[in-house]
Amino acid sequence: MTYLNLSPNNKQQDSHCVTRTLTKENEMIEIKNESGEVIHTVHADTLEGANLVGANLEDANLENANLRGVNLNGANLKGANLKGANLTGAIIIDCYLSHADLKGANLNLADLRESHLEESDLQGARMENTDLRGACFLAANLSGADLEGANLKGAWMLEANLEGANLTEAILINADLNDADLTRSNLTAVRFRGAKMNGTDFSGAKFTGSFLKGAITTKYTIGFPKVSSKKTPEPQVVKTPEPQVVKTPEPQATPDHEKKIMTPREAFAYARDVLHAPFPEGEATIATSAFCSFYYARDVLKAPFPLGEAAIATSVECSFAYARDVLKAPFPLGEAAIATNVECSFAYAKDVLKAPFPLGETAIATAGSYSYGYARDVLKAPFPLGEKAIATNGYYIEIYKDLFPETQVAPATPEPQAPATSMSDKQKKAIENSFQILVSSLGEWIEFDEQACAYPACFCPESIMDNINGLLEAFPDICKDLAGKSKTYLEAKSYMDEYSKEREEERGW
């Protein structure tokens, strides 16, 4: 068995690495840590287009790797080396990339909505037409990055370094640019409506055709760059008080800050990055978001988060990752969602249940490779439901016959048998509460929007509506009745339909 580091320079580092395992029986990619333990397995010939949903790749060495089109939804890439990596068209929604090295990486056309890139290094990265809505770039280095046509609506770019960046025709509606450095940046035809720009440095920036109406500012710097000031002893004056300014007011400011938190991600980020501890006052808000609930459980509580389990159960990726990484045990409430995805169903059966997963067999049976793996690794017996899919691939049908010579492939596909699942009153109540909290949050945002008031930059109404729709799809028997009786929901749905049309016209879609 041969292991190959997928980083083209093939330099071994003291970090997690991605390796490829090739055997006669199967083809798969194994992600291993420095101890040689397999931490994730992918059925594919290459990482290009691979499914790494929820994978823990903290400190992984992926320098110059080809990750084109890869699915990294909900993955943990904290501190990962992605220098020069090709992530064109990758799906990286709500991925944890803080402190990651993405210098020179190609992220064109990628989807990084709601991802966490705090203090990451994106110097010279290419992000043309990339979807960065709601992403967090707190104190990130984006100097010289190409963000032409990028959608940064609601992005949190507080104290980010965008010196010399190209943001031509980028969308910065409702983005938080407070104290950011945009010196010498190209801001041609940028839309700033509702953006926060207090203390932002625009020295030497190009604003041709930019739309600044509705931007929220108290003071900012605009003009020629003050080159000489950077060479004076002033930096010592600036740096000296910083620790006092940052640390001293925190104990006094905390109560007011906690009262102002409106979004799940703000509450989660406050717990993780400021308190470095649980945040009980914000848990009701965190519990309205599947991804924030999962990360709060995994990274802050380091324990189950019962209040957020109803929201987690609406997400395929979060349900699987919550079972695997937090509970380290089955997660019955999320099994309905997991069962809709072939990769997660297989991994849930193999790595969490370590037993058959009947509810997910219909999904598994749609792919020959996973059907074969399910028969070999989980059932350790023939898998009739998946034999039709297995039979479409000459490679898998041969090794399947060798493994189970008594089997006659491919018989008529039997009807899938989905076992009846019961839900406790407590679980039903949690789902009802989650639905009502989401609807209430959306109603509050509509009040802000109708009154043209400023609201937190990270507040993403589309994300809330997606979570509401997720609950409706996952638990129709519980939520459809609530929706029909909720005047707030009906008004919010109508408002969001109009809001989405307006945004599409605004973007020229």
Short mmCIF file of all heavy atoms in Angstrom, two decimals, residues 359-416:
data_model
loop_
_atom_site.label_atom_id
_atom_site.label_comp_id
_atom_site.label_asym_id
_atom_site.label_seq_id
_atom_site.Cartn_x
_atom_site.Cartn_y
_atom_site.Cartn_z
N LEU A 359 -32.29 3.60 6.99
CA LEU A 359 -32.91 4.82 6.51
C LEU A 359 -32.11 5.46 5.38
O LEU A 359 -32.67 6.14 4.51
CB LEU A 359 -33.06 5.82 7.67
CG LEU A 359 -33.96 7.03 7.44
CD1 LEU A 359 -35.39 6.59 7.16
CD2 LEU A 359 -33.93 7.96 8.64
N GLY A 360 -30.80 5.22 5.35
CA GLY A 360 -29.96 5.83 4.33
C GLY A 360 -29.66 4.92 3.16
O GLY A 360 -28.94 5.32 2.23
N GLU A 361 -30.19 3.70 3.16
CA GLU A 361 -29.85 2.74 2.12
C GLU A 361 -30.36 3.15 0.74
O GLU A 361 -29.74 2.84 -0.27
CB GLU A 361 -30.35 1.35 2.50
CG GLU A 361 -29.55 0.74 3.64
CD GLU A 361 -30.00 -0.67 4.01
OE1 GLU A 361 -30.99 -1.15 3.41
OE2 GLU A 361 -29.37 -1.29 4.88
N THR A 362 -31.48 3.85 0.69
CA THR A 362 -32.00 4.31 -0.59
C THR A 362 -31.01 5.26 -1.25
O THR A 362 -30.76 5.19 -2.46
CB THR A 362 -33.35 5.02 -0.41
OG1 THR A 362 -34.27 4.12 0.20
CG2 THR A 362 -33.90 5.48 -1.75
N ALA A 363 -30.43 6.18 -0.47
CA ALA A 363 -29.44 7.11 -1.01
C ALA A 363 -28.16 6.38 -1.39
O ALA A 363 -27.60 6.61 -2.47
CB ALA A 363 -29.15 8.21 0.02
N ILE A 364 -27.69 5.49 -0.51
CA ILE A 364 -26.46 4.75 -0.78
C ILE A 364 -26.58 3.95 -2.07
O ILE A 364 -25.64 3.86 -2.86
CB ILE A 364 -26.13 3.81 0.40
CG1 ILE A 364 -25.79 4.63 1.66
CG2 ILE A 364 -24.97 2.88 0.06
CD1 ILE A 364 -25.68 3.81 2.93
N ALA A 365 -27.77 3.41 -2.31
CA ALA A 365 -28.00 2.55 -3.47
C ALA A 365 -27.95 3.28 -4.80
O ALA A 365 -27.99 2.66 -5.86
CB ALA A 365 -29.35 1.84 -3.34
N THR A 366 -27.83 4.61 -4.77
CA THR A 366 -27.76 5.36 -6.02
C THR A 366 -26.35 5.41 -6.58
O THR A 366 -26.15 5.84 -7.72
CB THR A 366 -28.25 6.82 -5.81
OG1 THR A 366 -27.38 7.47 -4.87
CG2 THR A 366 -29.68 6.84 -5.29
N ALA A 367 -25.35 5.00 -5.80
CA ALA A 367 -23.95 5.06 -6.25
C ALA A 367 -23.29 3.70 -6.12
O ALA A 367 -23.32 3.09 -5.04
CB ALA A 367 -23.17 6.08 -5.42
N GLY A 368 -22.70 3.23 -7.22
CA GLY A 368 -22.08 1.92 -7.22
C GLY A 368 -20.93 1.79 -6.24
O GLY A 368 -20.82 0.78 -5.53
N SER A 369 -20.07 2.81 -6.15
CA SER A 369 -18.91 2.74 -5.26
C SER A 369 -19.33 2.64 -3.80
O SER A 369 -18.78 1.86 -3.03
CB SER A 369 -18.01 3.95 -5.47
OG SER A 369 -18.71 5.15 -5.20
N TYR A 370 -20.33 3.45 -3.42
CA TYR A 370 -20.78 3.44 -2.02
C TYR A 370 -21.61 2.18 -1.72
O TYR A 370 -21.58 1.68 -0.59
CB TYR A 370 -21.57 4.70 -1.71
CG TYR A 370 -20.68 5.91 -1.60
CD1 TYR A 370 -20.53 6.78 -2.67
CD2 TYR A 370 -19.94 6.17 -0.45
CE1 TYR A 370 -19.68 7.88 -2.60
CE2 TYR A 370 -19.08 7.26 -0.36
CZ TYR A 370 -18.96 8.11 -1.44
OH TYR A 370 -18.11 9.19 -1.36
N SER A 371 -22.34 1.69 -2.71
CA SER A 371 -23.09 0.44 -2.51
C SER A 371 -22.13 -0.70 -2.26
O SER A 371 -22.35 -1.55 -1.37
CB SER A 371 -23.95 0.14 -3.75
OG SER A 371 -24.97 1.09 -3.89
N TYR A 372 -21.04 -0.75 -3.04
CA TYR A 372 -20.03 -1.78 -2.83
C TYR A 372 -19.38 -1.63 -1.46
O TYR A 372 -19.23 -2.61 -0.71
CB TYR A 372 -18.97 -1.70 -3.92
CG TYR A 372 -17.75 -2.53 -3.63
CD1 TYR A 372 -17.78 -3.92 -3.71
CD2 TYR A 372 -16.56 -1.91 -3.21
CE1 TYR A 372 -16.67 -4.67 -3.40
CE2 TYR A 372 -15.44 -2.67 -2.90
CZ TYR A 372 -15.50 -4.05 -3.01
OH TYR A 372 -14.39 -4.79 -2.68
N GLY A 373 -19.01 -0.39 -1.11
CA GLY A 373 -18.39 -0.16 0.20
C GLY A 373 -19.32 -0.50 1.34
O GLY A 373 -18.89 -1.03 2.38
N TYR A 374 -20.60 -0.22 1.18
CA TYR A 374 -21.59 -0.51 2.23
C TYR A 374 -21.71 -2.02 2.42
O TYR A 374 -21.78 -2.52 3.56
CB TYR A 374 -22.93 0.08 1.81
CG TYR A 374 -24.02 0.02 2.87
CD1 TYR A 374 -23.95 0.78 4.03
CD2 TYR A 374 -25.15 -0.78 2.68
CE1 TYR A 374 -24.96 0.74 4.99
CE2 TYR A 374 -26.16 -0.83 3.63
CZ TYR A 374 -26.06 -0.06 4.78
OH TYR A 374 -27.06 -0.11 5.72
N ALA A 375 -21.73 -2.77 1.29
CA ALA A 375 -21.81 -4.24 1.38
C ALA A 375 -20.56 -4.81 2.04
O ALA A 375 -20.64 -5.69 2.91
CB ALA A 375 -22.01 -4.83 -0.01
N ARG A 376 -19.40 -4.29 1.63
CA ARG A 376 -18.14 -4.84 2.13
C ARG A 376 -17.83 -4.44 3.57
O ARG A 376 -17.45 -5.28 4.39
CB ARG A 376 -17.00 -4.37 1.22
CG ARG A 376 -15.64 -4.97 1.55
CD ARG A 376 -14.52 -4.24 0.82
NE ARG A 376 -14.42 -2.86 1.29
CZ ARG A 376 -13.58 -1.97 0.78
NH1 ARG A 376 -12.80 -2.32 -0.23
NH2 ARG A 376 -13.53 -0.74 1.25
N ASP A 377 -17.98 -3.14 3.89
CA ASP A 377 -17.52 -2.63 5.17
C ASP A 377 -18.58 -2.60 6.27
O ASP A 377 -18.25 -2.62 7.45
CB ASP A 377 -16.96 -1.22 5.00
CG ASP A 377 -15.80 -1.18 4.02
OD1 ASP A 377 -15.09 -2.19 3.90
OD2 ASP A 377 -15.59 -0.13 3.37
N VAL A 378 -19.85 -2.49 5.88
CA VAL A 378 -20.91 -2.36 6.88
C VAL A 378 -21.73 -3.65 7.01
O VAL A 378 -21.77 -4.27 8.06
CB VAL A 378 -21.84 -1.18 6.54
CG1 VAL A 378 -22.94 -1.04 7.60
CG2 VAL A 378 -21.04 0.13 6.46
N LEU A 379 -22.38 -4.04 5.90
CA LEU A 379 -23.22 -5.25 5.95
C LEU A 379 -22.37 -6.51 6.06
O LEU A 379 -22.79 -7.48 6.68
CB LEU A 379 -24.09 -5.33 4.70
CG LEU A 379 -25.09 -4.19 4.47
CD1 LEU A 379 -25.85 -4.43 3.17
CD2 LEU A 379 -26.08 -4.09 5.63
N LYS A 380 -21.20 -6.47 5.41
CA LYS A 380 -20.35 -7.67 5.29
C LYS A 380 -21.17 -8.81 4.69
O LYS A 380 -21.04 -9.97 5.06
CB LYS A 380 -19.75 -8.05 6.64
CG LYS A 380 -18.94 -6.92 7.27
CD LYS A 380 -18.21 -7.36 8.51
CE LYS A 380 -17.54 -6.18 9.22
NZ LYS A 380 -16.62 -5.44 8.37
N ALA A 381 -22.03 -8.39 3.77
CA ALA A 381 -22.95 -9.30 3.09
C ALA A 381 -23.46 -8.59 1.84
O ALA A 381 -23.28 -7.37 1.70
CB ALA A 381 -24.12 -9.66 4.01
N PRO A 382 -24.09 -9.31 0.92
CA PRO A 382 -24.61 -8.66 -0.28
C PRO A 382 -25.58 -7.52 0.05
O PRO A 382 -26.26 -7.54 1.08
CB PRO A 382 -25.32 -9.79 -1.02
CG PRO A 382 -24.63 -11.03 -0.55
CD PRO A 382 -24.30 -10.78 0.89
N PHE A 383 -25.63 -6.54 -0.84
CA PHE A 383 -26.52 -5.39 -0.70
C PHE A 383 -27.42 -5.33 -1.94
O PHE A 383 -27.15 -4.59 -2.88
CB PHE A 383 -25.69 -4.11 -0.56
CG PHE A 383 -26.49 -2.83 -0.42
CD1 PHE A 383 -27.65 -2.78 0.35
CD2 PHE A 383 -26.08 -1.67 -1.06
CE1 PHE A 383 -28.37 -1.61 0.48
CE2 PHE A 383 -26.80 -0.49 -0.93
CZ PHE A 383 -27.95 -0.46 -0.15
N PRO A 384 -28.49 -6.13 -1.95
CA PRO A 384 -29.35 -6.22 -3.15
C PRO A 384 -29.85 -4.88 -3.66
O PRO A 384 -29.93 -4.67 -4.87
CB PRO A 384 -30.52 -7.10 -2.66
CG PRO A 384 -29.94 -7.90 -1.55
CD PRO A 384 -28.98 -6.98 -0.87
N LEU A 385 -30.18 -3.97 -2.76
CA LEU A 385 -30.74 -2.69 -3.17
C LEU A 385 -29.74 -1.89 -4.01
O LEU A 385 -30.13 -1.09 -4.87
CB LEU A 385 -31.15 -1.88 -1.94
CG LEU A 385 -31.96 -0.60 -2.18
CD1 LEU A 385 -33.25 -0.91 -2.90
CD2 LEU A 385 -32.22 0.12 -0.87
N GLY A 386 -28.45 -2.09 -3.77
CA GLY A 386 -27.44 -1.32 -4.49
C GLY A 386 -26.84 -2.03 -5.68
O GLY A 386 -25.97 -1.48 -6.36
N GLU A 387 -27.29 -3.25 -5.97
CA GLU A 387 -26.67 -4.04 -7.03
C GLU A 387 -26.91 -3.47 -8.42
O GLU A 387 -26.08 -3.64 -9.32
CB GLU A 387 -27.13 -5.50 -6.93
CG GLU A 387 -26.50 -6.21 -5.74
CD GLU A 387 -26.99 -7.63 -5.56
OE1 GLU A 387 -27.86 -8.07 -6.36
OE2 GLU A 387 -26.53 -8.31 -4.63
N LYS A 388 -28.01 -2.78 -8.60
CA LYS A 388 -28.27 -2.17 -9.90
C LYS A 388 -27.23 -1.09 -10.19
O LYS A 388 -26.72 -0.98 -11.31
CB LYS A 388 -29.68 -1.56 -9.93
CG LYS A 388 -30.07 -0.98 -11.27
CD LYS A 388 -31.51 -0.47 -11.24
CE LYS A 388 -31.90 0.13 -12.59
NZ LYS A 388 -33.31 0.62 -12.57
N ALA A 389 -26.92 -0.29 -9.18
CA ALA A 389 -25.90 0.75 -9.34
C ALA A 389 -24.52 0.13 -9.49
O ALA A 389 -23.69 0.59 -10.30
CB ALA A 389 -25.93 1.71 -8.16
N ILE A 390 -24.23 -0.92 -8.72
CA ILE A 390 -22.95 -1.61 -8.82
C ILE A 390 -22.75 -2.16 -10.22
O ILE A 390 -21.65 -2.08 -10.80
CB ILE A 390 -22.86 -2.74 -7.78
CG1 ILE A 390 -22.83 -2.17 -6.35
CG2 ILE A 390 -21.62 -3.61 -8.02
CD1 ILE A 390 -22.95 -3.21 -5.26
N ALA A 391 -23.82 -2.69 -10.82
CA ALA A 391 -23.75 -3.33 -12.13
C ALA A 391 -23.43 -2.35 -13.26
O ALA A 391 -23.05 -2.76 -14.35
CB ALA A 391 -25.07 -4.05 -12.43
N THR A 392 -23.57 -1.06 -13.00
CA THR A 392 -23.29 -0.06 -14.05
C THR A 392 -21.80 0.23 -14.17
O THR A 392 -21.39 0.92 -15.09
CB THR A 392 -24.03 1.27 -13.75
OG1 THR A 392 -23.55 1.80 -12.51
CG2 THR A 392 -25.53 1.05 -13.67
N ASN A 393 -21.01 -0.30 -13.24
CA ASN A 393 -19.57 -0.08 -13.25
C ASN A 393 -18.86 -1.43 -13.33
O ASN A 393 -18.95 -2.24 -12.41
CB ASN A 393 -19.16 0.68 -11.98
CG ASN A 393 -17.70 1.08 -11.97
OD1 ASN A 393 -16.82 0.24 -12.09
ND2 ASN A 393 -17.44 2.36 -11.84
N GLY A 394 -18.17 -1.65 -14.44
CA GLY A 394 -17.51 -2.94 -14.65
C GLY A 394 -16.52 -3.30 -13.57
O GLY A 394 -16.39 -4.46 -13.18
N TYR A 395 -15.80 -2.28 -13.05
CA TYR A 395 -14.80 -2.53 -12.02
C TYR A 395 -15.45 -3.04 -10.73
O TYR A 395 -15.05 -4.06 -10.17
CB TYR A 395 -14.02 -1.24 -11.75
CG TYR A 395 -13.08 -1.32 -10.57
CD1 TYR A 395 -11.91 -2.06 -10.62
CD2 TYR A 395 -13.38 -0.66 -9.38
CE1 TYR A 395 -11.05 -2.13 -9.55
CE2 TYR A 395 -12.54 -0.72 -8.29
CZ TYR A 395 -11.37 -1.46 -8.37
OH TYR A 395 -10.53 -1.54 -7.30
N TYR A 396 -16.49 -2.32 -10.29
CA TYR A 396 -17.13 -2.68 -9.03
C TYR A 396 -17.91 -3.98 -9.12
O TYR A 396 -18.00 -4.73 -8.14
CB TYR A 396 -18.02 -1.54 -8.54
CG TYR A 396 -17.25 -0.37 -7.99
CD1 TYR A 396 -17.24 0.85 -8.64
CD2 TYR A 396 -16.48 -0.51 -6.84
CE1 TYR A 396 -16.50 1.92 -8.16
CE2 TYR A 396 -15.74 0.55 -6.35
CZ TYR A 396 -15.75 1.76 -7.01
OH TYR A 396 -15.01 2.82 -6.53
N ILE A 397 -18.50 -4.27 -10.28
CA ILE A 397 -19.28 -5.51 -10.40
C ILE A 397 -18.38 -6.73 -10.29
O ILE A 397 -18.74 -7.75 -9.68
CB ILE A 397 -20.10 -5.53 -11.71
CG1 ILE A 397 -21.10 -6.68 -11.67
CG2 ILE A 397 -19.21 -5.66 -12.92
CD1 ILE A 397 -22.13 -6.58 -10.59
N GLU A 398 -17.16 -6.61 -10.83
CA GLU A 398 -16.24 -7.75 -10.76
C GLU A 398 -15.77 -8.00 -9.33
O GLU A 398 -15.75 -9.15 -8.86
CB GLU A 398 -15.04 -7.50 -11.68
CG GLU A 398 -15.38 -7.55 -13.16
CD GLU A 398 -16.00 -8.88 -13.56
OE1 GLU A 398 -15.52 -9.94 -13.08
OE2 GLU A 398 -16.98 -8.87 -14.34
N ILE A 399 -15.36 -6.94 -8.63
CA ILE A 399 -14.87 -7.17 -7.27
C ILE A 399 -16.02 -7.52 -6.32
O ILE A 399 -15.82 -8.19 -5.31
CB ILE A 399 -14.09 -5.95 -6.74
CG1 ILE A 399 -14.93 -4.67 -6.77
CG2 ILE A 399 -12.82 -5.73 -7.56
CD1 ILE A 399 -14.21 -3.45 -6.19
N TYR A 400 -17.24 -7.06 -6.65
CA TYR A 400 -18.41 -7.43 -5.85
C TYR A 400 -18.70 -8.92 -6.01
O TYR A 400 -18.99 -9.63 -5.03
CB TYR A 400 -19.61 -6.60 -6.30
CG TYR A 400 -20.89 -6.81 -5.49
CD1 TYR A 400 -21.03 -6.24 -4.23
CD2 TYR A 400 -21.94 -7.56 -5.99
CE1 TYR A 400 -22.19 -6.41 -3.49
CE2 TYR A 400 -23.10 -7.74 -5.26
CZ TYR A 400 -23.23 -7.17 -4.01
OH TYR A 400 -24.38 -7.35 -3.29
N LYS A 401 -18.59 -9.43 -7.25
CA LYS A 401 -18.81 -10.88 -7.50
C LYS A 401 -17.73 -11.70 -6.82
O LYS A 401 -18.00 -12.79 -6.31
CB LYS A 401 -18.81 -11.14 -9.00
CG LYS A 401 -20.08 -10.70 -9.71
CD LYS A 401 -19.97 -11.01 -11.20
CE LYS A 401 -21.24 -10.62 -11.93
NZ LYS A 401 -21.13 -10.89 -13.40
N ASP A 402 -16.49 -11.18 -6.83
CA ASP A 402 -15.41 -11.92 -6.16
C ASP A 402 -15.65 -11.99 -4.66
O ASP A 402 -15.34 -12.99 -4.01
CB ASP A 402 -14.07 -11.23 -6.42
CG ASP A 402 -13.62 -11.37 -7.87
OD1 ASP A 402 -14.15 -12.27 -8.56
OD2 ASP A 402 -12.76 -10.58 -8.30
N LEU A 403 -16.20 -10.92 -4.10
CA LEU A 403 -16.44 -10.86 -2.66
C LEU A 403 -17.64 -11.70 -2.25
O LEU A 403 -17.63 -12.34 -1.19
CB LEU A 403 -16.66 -9.40 -2.24
CG LEU A 403 -16.65 -9.08 -0.74
CD1 LEU A 403 -15.30 -9.43 -0.13
CD2 LEU A 403 -16.95 -7.60 -0.52
N PHE A 404 -18.66 -11.69 -3.09
CA PHE A 404 -19.89 -12.45 -2.80
C PHE A 404 -20.23 -13.31 -4.02
O PHE A 404 -21.14 -13.00 -4.80
CB PHE A 404 -21.05 -11.51 -2.48
CG PHE A 404 -20.75 -10.50 -1.39
CD1 PHE A 404 -20.64 -9.15 -1.68
CD2 PHE A 404 -20.58 -10.93 -0.08
CE1 PHE A 404 -20.37 -8.24 -0.69
CE2 PHE A 404 -20.29 -10.02 0.92
CZ PHE A 404 -20.18 -8.67 0.62
N PRO A 405 -19.50 -14.43 -4.23
CA PRO A 405 -19.67 -15.24 -5.43
C PRO A 405 -21.05 -15.87 -5.58
O PRO A 405 -21.48 -16.20 -6.67
CB PRO A 405 -18.58 -16.32 -5.28
CG PRO A 405 -18.26 -16.34 -3.83
CD PRO A 405 -18.45 -14.94 -3.36
N GLU A 406 -21.76 -16.01 -4.46
CA GLU A 406 -23.08 -16.65 -4.52
C GLU A 406 -24.16 -15.70 -5.03
O GLU A 406 -25.30 -16.12 -5.30
CB GLU A 406 -23.48 -17.17 -3.14
CG GLU A 406 -23.90 -16.10 -2.11
CD GLU A 406 -22.73 -15.33 -1.51
OE1 GLU A 406 -21.57 -15.61 -1.90
OE2 GLU A 406 -22.97 -14.47 -0.65
N THR A 407 -23.83 -14.42 -5.18
CA THR A 407 -24.83 -13.42 -5.54
C THR A 407 -25.09 -13.39 -7.03
O THR A 407 -24.17 -13.47 -7.84
CB THR A 407 -24.36 -12.02 -5.11
OG1 THR A 407 -24.10 -12.04 -3.71
CG2 THR A 407 -25.44 -10.98 -5.40
N GLN A 408 -26.36 -13.28 -7.40
CA GLN A 408 -26.76 -13.10 -8.78
C GLN A 408 -27.04 -11.62 -9.01
O GLN A 408 -28.03 -11.08 -8.55
CB GLN A 408 -28.03 -13.93 -9.08
CG GLN A 408 -27.85 -15.42 -8.94
CD GLN A 408 -26.89 -15.98 -9.97
OE1 GLN A 408 -26.88 -15.56 -11.12
NE2 GLN A 408 -26.07 -16.94 -9.55
N VAL A 409 -26.14 -10.97 -9.72
CA VAL A 409 -26.28 -9.54 -9.99
C VAL A 409 -26.97 -9.37 -11.34
O VAL A 409 -26.74 -10.12 -12.28
CB VAL A 409 -24.90 -8.86 -10.03
CG1 VAL A 409 -25.04 -7.36 -10.18
CG2 VAL A 409 -24.09 -9.21 -8.78
N ALA A 410 -27.75 -8.43 -11.58
CA ALA A 410 -28.45 -7.53 -10.72
C ALA A 410 -29.91 -7.92 -10.74
O ALA A 410 -30.52 -7.93 -11.80
CB ALA A 410 -28.32 -6.12 -11.24
N PRO A 411 -30.46 -8.28 -9.62
CA PRO A 411 -31.88 -8.64 -9.55
C PRO A 411 -32.76 -7.40 -9.61
O PRO A 411 -32.27 -6.28 -9.58
CB PRO A 411 -31.96 -9.30 -8.16
CG PRO A 411 -30.92 -8.59 -7.38
CD PRO A 411 -29.79 -8.31 -8.34
N ALA A 412 -34.04 -7.63 -9.67
CA ALA A 412 -34.98 -6.51 -9.65
C ALA A 412 -34.79 -5.73 -8.36
O ALA A 412 -34.68 -6.32 -7.29
CB ALA A 412 -36.41 -7.01 -9.77
N THR A 413 -34.73 -4.45 -8.48
CA THR A 413 -34.49 -3.61 -7.31
C THR A 413 -35.68 -3.65 -6.38
O THR A 413 -36.79 -3.27 -6.77
CB THR A 413 -34.23 -2.16 -7.72
OG1 THR A 413 -33.15 -2.14 -8.66
CG2 THR A 413 -33.88 -1.31 -6.52
N PRO A 414 -35.50 -4.10 -5.15
CA PRO A 414 -36.63 -4.14 -4.21
C PRO A 414 -37.00 -2.74 -3.75
O PRO A 414 -36.20 -1.82 -3.82
CB PRO A 414 -36.07 -4.96 -3.03
CG PRO A 414 -34.60 -4.73 -3.10
CD PRO A 414 -34.26 -4.60 -4.55
N GLU A 415 -38.19 -2.60 -3.29
CA GLU A 415 -38.63 -1.32 -2.76
C GLU A 415 -37.88 -1.03 -1.47
O GLU A 415 -37.73 -1.91 -0.62
CB GLU A 415 -40.13 -1.34 -2.46
CG GLU A 415 -41.00 -1.39 -3.70
CD GLU A 415 -40.84 -0.13 -4.53
OE1 GLU A 415 -40.71 0.97 -3.94
OE2 GLU A 415 -40.83 -0.23 -5.76
N PRO A 416 -37.36 0.18 -1.31
CA PRO A 416 -36.66 0.52 -0.06
C PRO A 416 -37.60 0.47 1.14
O PRO A 416 -38.76 0.83 1.04
CB PRO A 416 -36.18 1.97 -0.33
CG PRO A 416 -37.11 2.49 -1.36
CD PRO A 416 -37.46 1.31 -2.23
#
